Amino acid sequence: TALRNPGLLVRHATAPDETWTWNDQAQTFKPPGARYCPWCSAVFEDFDHTCPWTGTAIAKNNIFSFRLFVGALQILAYFTAAVFVLGSLGIAGRDS
């Protein structure tokens, strides 16, 4: 997710249509659903959050990769917990 454009919007001095609203912080018009990120000082489509470790915005174009990463971490956590429990009970690696 750190190497992909998250959905950064270019600045617009005029609104492309009447649904766009002005954002004072970014000094640009933004479409519905877009939000300003204070860490990045930019507007992103379907902005979710900014990663505190990489400083990367998570938005429209990289949310799928982010969700895959979080899902893989959950699977790894469950696997690690299972190995720990089985090892603690003496079931894993027992010689017959």
Side-chain angles (χ1 to χ4, degrees):
T1 59
L3 302 176
R4 173 179 252 175
N5 175 6
L8 179 67
L9 292 172
V10 296
R11 296 188 190 274
H12 293 274
T14 59
D17 64 44
E18 63 278 350
T19 62
W20 287 47
T21 57
W22 179 256
N23 183 285
D24 284 330
Q25 296 166 316
Q27 296 294 304
T28 184
F29 282 92
K30 64 181 185 75
R35 285 188 16 204
Y36 176 76
C37 171
W39 283 23
C40 303
S41 299
V43 176
F44 296 94
E45 289 184 87
D46 299 329
F47 177 73
D48 188 63
H49 70 281
T50 301
C51 176
W53 294 285
T54 63
T56 304
I58 305 299
K60 180 181 181 180
N61 294 343
N62 64 358
I63 192 73
F64 180 73
S65 300
F66 172 74
R67 289 183 178 154
L68 282 177
F69 171 70
V70 171
L73 284 179
Q74 287 178 337
I75 291 169
L76 178 63
Y78 294 142
F79 177 76
T80 302
V83 169
F84 176 76
V85 169
L86 293 175
S88 295
L89 296 174
I91 296 172
R94 179 183 289 178
D95 291 338
S96 297

